[in-house]
Amino acid sequence: MLIKRPRWFWRSLVAAVAFFALPALSAGAKRNSCIETAMIVFDASGSMGVSHRGSLKIATARAAVTEVLPDITGVRETGLVTYAGCSRVEMRVAPALNTDQQITAALQATPARGSTPLARAVARAQQTLAERGGKGVIVLVTDGLESCSGRPCRLAQRIASITPGITVHVIGFALTPEIGRQHLRCLTEATGGVYAHADDNRELSAALRKLLGCPMLS
């Protein structure tokens, strides 16, 4: 007899399959607990306004972040930094519990424009975590490389040196995997994080759940 499953069952099954399809954490990667603060660094540069797989990249990224936030922010203090030009790095939402609606509203109000001050944005998130005890996780979502004279690899070494309790993860969204790994993986390797590639909403949502999540969610 065919058993009819509720819609939430199939959504959960798809999310679980996507989650376990991601590369496993390497032996040297650190696992963060739910008590540690998380900062999302969101790329709102001009290239995110380009269409990819039938939707603007920024719209796909907003939707993925919005989808996973309720589960994450209920158990982990989460904040948001965005960048949309070399001089437009902004702390949009201070880390706290249950910030999902605030972060969603901030992302919806952020248009895609400008260049990519990637290092400066990650440094802003690192500064926030340093002021809160120097422990936590930063998850950078970007579709491009540094374009504002920053030095991400040097920044990663500095983070590892002065705030060793901070882990940086990077999700290269709609970014050629080889280019992303070559230029952005240093951010993760120096801090014990993970570099993940995502090419659509499903992959991006799964990566966010894994990298923002913690043992009780995994």
Side-chain angles (χ1 to χ4, degrees), residues 58-167:
I58 195 168
T60 300
R62 285 178 186 141
V65 173
T66 298
E67 178 184 336
V68 306
L69 280 177
D71 291 336
I72 303 299
T73 63
V75 295
R76 164 173 272 172
E77 293 187 336
T78 307
L80 173 70
V81 170
T82 64
Y83 58 86
C86 294
S87 60
R88 294 188 65 88
V89 173
E90 298 181 75
M91 177 76 167
R92 303 298 298 277
V93 179
L97 288 173
N98 300 312
T99 53
D100 51 306
Q101 293 185 6
Q102 292 174 266
I103 292 175
T104 296
L107 292 178
Q108 291 297 332
T110 303
R113 60 186 177 188
S115 302
T116 307
L118 188 152
R120 190 178 304 170
V122 173
R124 182 68 182 86
Q126 181 260 345
Q127 178 186 355
T128 299
L129 294 178
E131 293 169 352
R132 298 171 63 88
K135 291 185 179 182
V137 57
I138 297 170
V139 177
L140 166 66
V141 180
T142 182
D143 78 327
L145 308 180
E146 172 69 45
S147 62
C148 294
S149 302
R151 297 184 177 182
C153 295
R154 180 175 292 185
L155 171 64
Q157 294 295 333
R158 177 174 170 79
I159 291 174
S161 175
I162 66 175
T163 49
I166 294 177
T167 304

Side-chain angles (χ1 to χ4, degrees), residues 3-12:
I3 299 175
K4 186 176 181 180
R5 301 287 188 182
R7 188 173 299 174
W8 62 262
F9 172 85
W10 297 112
R11 286 202 301 263
S12 299

Side-chain angles (χ1 to χ4, degrees), residues 13 36 53 66 72 95 143 152 162 184 191 212 214 218:
L13 180 61
E36 295 175 348
R53 292 183 175 270
T66 298
I72 303 299
D143 78 327
I162 66 175
L184 298 176
T191 62
L212 283 170
C214 47
S218 302

Side-chain angles (χ1 to χ4, degrees), residues 29 32 42 47 79 81 143 146 161 185 188 195 198 202 208-209:
N32 293 271
F42 187 90
S47 60
V81 170
D143 78 327
E146 172 69 45
S161 175
R185 205 167 192 169
T188 65
Y195 179 86
R202 179 184 61 83
L208 286 165
R209 286 189 186 279

